[in-house]
Amino acid sequence: MLVAVAAAGLAGCATVYNLPGNAPLGAALADNNIARDLPDYQDDTLLALSFSGGGTRAAAFSFGVLQELDRARSGAGTKSLLDRVDFVSGVSGGSVTAAYFGLKRRAALDDFRERFLLRNAEEGLKTQISLGNIGRALGGGVNDSQFTNWLDRNLFDGARFDVLSSGRGPRVWINASDIYNRTPFVFDKTTFDALCSDIRPYRVAEAVSASAAVPLAFAPIVLETYPGGCAAPLPPWVDRVRGDPNAQPLLHSFAEALGRYRDGSMRYVKLLDGGLVDNYGLSGLSIGLLAAQRPYEPLNERQAARLRRILFLVVDAGRGVSGDFVQTLEGPNGVELVSAAADTAIDASVRSSYAAFTSLASDWSGKLKRWRCGLSATDRGRLGLGASWKCGDVGIYVERLGFDRLGPQRAGILNAIPTRFSLPPEQVDELIAGGADALRSSAAYQSFRRGL
């Protein structure tokens, strides 16, 4: 009781918060074209990756997938599949790999292991259980900007989104959770346009920190809204969906959030770990498909007409079942109970999001084929489609790569690795090898390669 009273007292004088790091849009008027946030690929193949949360173990497992993609080539002297990645989405630990790959592209393979995976990214954090830290947790979060600043200095070298979205590499989405609207928050042009904020000078490290901000361990990352600070309207689908009570709930809640950012009803947006609402990072893609008004959207006509092969790889380093409290009448204890409840909520969410996304992708593929096969000769000529073009020649593959692909014994070893931001080298290398082997063993991936 005395500890609880003392902690409550400390909470009152140990308020922890982050200052907003985003700038107003100013004169840079937005056109709010959602296609700007999706890949602008130049060939007939669309390769998209999504990296789950899970601390350094997720970052290492997804890094192994990147290494294996680099080993895959369709012919002598040709680019590897790593060079053909069009889009990468990341959550929490997976967002570190996604952002670094987006910034460095192939060069990320040279030093990511040494610069991040083998480093102790917790070295500047308060991680001990103490009366002071309990007070800070109750006051908003044990840590504020320490992780952001560590990433900025040691990994991202002060990089801003103007580099990440320059068009020279794959399109990157970093995913966090808007804890007021209870929706995904995607760090992209569309979302920042709704804030009337300019994403270009925003620090990549801050977005990654928001994606990885575990509640209580970290204070929320804060963004400021600037209502009235831009002239361009929100995308047309936002008002349409907000006024439709029958709209799909994910799309409706996201549209409501965008509307609140713009209309002045929210002064600040508070962001925590993206895994709270979507530990696979698929919500942004799902929203893009649900918001589409034409069969080929969210792509443009020319992209959709040229497309032949699509591969969505979901790299899952999530936690499996753990603990032994099911063997005794007693338990779980308080710590185990909190952990089990969080894992239950996250696992249920990702299973639902993956099932929903695979269904959406399948439906979209069917609509795309019907649209292509309905093109007139004039349309085919306008889009530059030759005589050998086949309207139904579109293959779509959606695959989840998890520890379970590696057999029970190896999966058990990897699942026992904690979801920390500091791991010993032998565990890091085991995870990297696991990611590569999981991809290599995927039948969908091998089918995709054969179809190139």
Side-chain angles (χ1 to χ4, degrees):
M1 174 64 74
L2 289 175
V3 172
V5 172
L10 285 170
C13 59
T15 302
V16 182
Y17 60 89
N18 287 298
L19 295 173
N22 61 311
L25 196 58
L29 296 179
D31 61 14
N32 291 300
N33 181 359
I34 195 169
R36 288 278 198 87
D37 294 317
L38 292 161
D40 185 20
Y41 63 91
Q42 301 299 320
D43 55 18
D44 61 2
T45 300
L46 178 58
L47 177 52
L49 311 174
S50 187
F51 298 153
S52 82
T56 293
R57 87 175 194 172
F61 193 63
S62 56
F63 184 64
V65 171
L66 294 181
Q67 286 188 331
E68 184 60 25
L69 287 171
D70 192 46
R71 298 185 185 105
R73 299 175 185 274
S74 54
T78 60
K79 292 182 177 180
S80 75
L81 284 183
L82 185 71
D83 299 308
R84 301 178 70 175
V85 172
D86 301 291
F87 174 81
V88 58
S89 178
V91 178
S92 193
S95 72
V96 183
T97 312
Y100 197 68
F101 173 58
L103 289 167
K104 305 271 286 190
R105 301 179 297 284
R106 168 180 295 282
L109 298 184
D110 298 334
D111 61 4
F112 184 67
R113 178 178 176 273
E114 288 69 27
R115 292 195 69 180
F116 180 76
L117 297 178
L118 299 184
R119 295 286 303 276
N120 177 13
E122 299 178 5
E123 61 187 3
L125 301 179
K126 297 177 175 66
T127 58
Q128 300 301 314
I129 298 177
S130 66
L131 196 60
N133 281 345
I134 292 173
R136 289 174 65 86
L138 295 175
V142 177
N143 299 280
D144 43 41
S145 59
Q146 296 98 316
F147 191 50
T148 299
N149 295 333
W150 188 94
L151 289 171
D152 207 37
R153 289 193 310 269
N154 295 287
L155 186 63
F156 296 124
D157 302 319
R160 311 286 171 142
F161 269 81
D162 59 347
V163 178
L164 195 61
S165 58
S166 64
R168 295 183 294 113
R171 185 68 62 187
V172 178
W173 275 357
I174 306 301
N175 301 270
S177 299
D178 175 342
I179 57 173
Y180 179 79
N181 289 298
R182 305 168 197 169
T183 60
F185 184 96
V186 182
F187 283 87
D188 65 5
K189 182 180 181 297
T190 298
T191 309
F192 268 63
D193 283 352
L195 298 168
C196 288
S197 180
D198 190 352
I199 194 172
R200 295 171 301 177
Y202 193 73
R203 289 192 295 171
V204 173
E206 198 157 359
V208 172
S209 293
S211 184
V214 176
L216 299 183
F218 296 92
I221 296 295
V222 180
L223 296 170
E224 187 170 356
T225 65
Y226 298 99
C230 53
L234 291 170
W237 66 265
V238 173
D239 286 336
R240 172 178 56 82
V241 170
R242 294 183 79 186
D244 181 5
N246 298 314
Q248 206 277 348
L250 171 64
L251 186 64
H252 189 270
S253 62
F254 187 72
E256 287 286 357
L258 295 182
R260 293 186 185 113
Y261 300 161
R262 177 62 69 86
D263 66 19
S265 59
M266 293 178 62
R267 184 175 179 185
Y268 298 107
V269 182
K270 309 291 180 72
L271 305 175
L272 283 175
D273 192 326
L276 296 174
V277 294
D278 176 18
N279 204 44
Y280 282 173
L282 292 174
S283 292
L285 289 167
S286 297
I287 289 167
L289 294 174
L290 289 169
Q293 287 292 283
R294 299 176 179 84
Y296 54 81
E297 291 179 344
L299 306 177
N300 63 43
E301 282 186 286
R302 192 170 297 276
Q303 289 174 328
R306 295 179 60 189
L307 198 57
R308 292 187 62 247
R309 295 293 177 268
I310 309 168
L311 175 63
F312 291 105
L313 288 176
V314 180
V315 184
D316 177 16
R319 288 158 53 95
V321 295
S322 60
D324 59 1
F325 57 81
V326 294
Q327 306 301 333
T328 62
L329 181 61
E330 301 82 8
N333 62 37
V335 174
E336 291 173 327
L337 187 62
V338 171
S339 177
D343 289 343
T344 299
I346 290 173
D347 284 357
S349 171
V350 295
R351 291 177 192 135
S352 298
S353 70
Y354 183 74
F357 179 74
T358 55
S359 177
L360 275 173
S362 178
D363 290 346
W364 179 70
S365 176
K367 293 176 184 176
L368 182 62
K369 288 179 183 179
R370 290 191 291 274
W371 170 77
R372 285 163 53 116
C373 292
L375 289 173
S376 65
T378 301
D379 288 331
R380 293 195 298 271
R382 174 174 57 85
L383 295 171
L385 305 174
S388 62
W389 177 77
K390 299 178 181 178
C391 67
D393 185 18
V394 182
I396 184 167
Y397 306 87
V398 181
E399 185 76 315
R400 186 191 67 87
L401 303 176
F403 297 161
D404 52 342
R405 289 198 168 274
L406 304 172
Q409 182 177 1
R410 196 172 175 192
I413 293 171
L414 295 183
N415 190 57
I417 297 174
T419 55
R420 299 283 300 266
F421 276 110
S422 176
L423 296 176
E426 59 272 17
Q427 290 185 343
V428 167
D429 290 335
E430 182 70 29
L431 288 159
I432 293 172
D437 291 342
L439 178 59
R440 197 179 304 117
S441 67
S442 165
Y445 170 65
Q446 298 301 340
S447 295
F448 170 79
R449 287 190 61 187
R450 287 192 296 271
L452 293 178

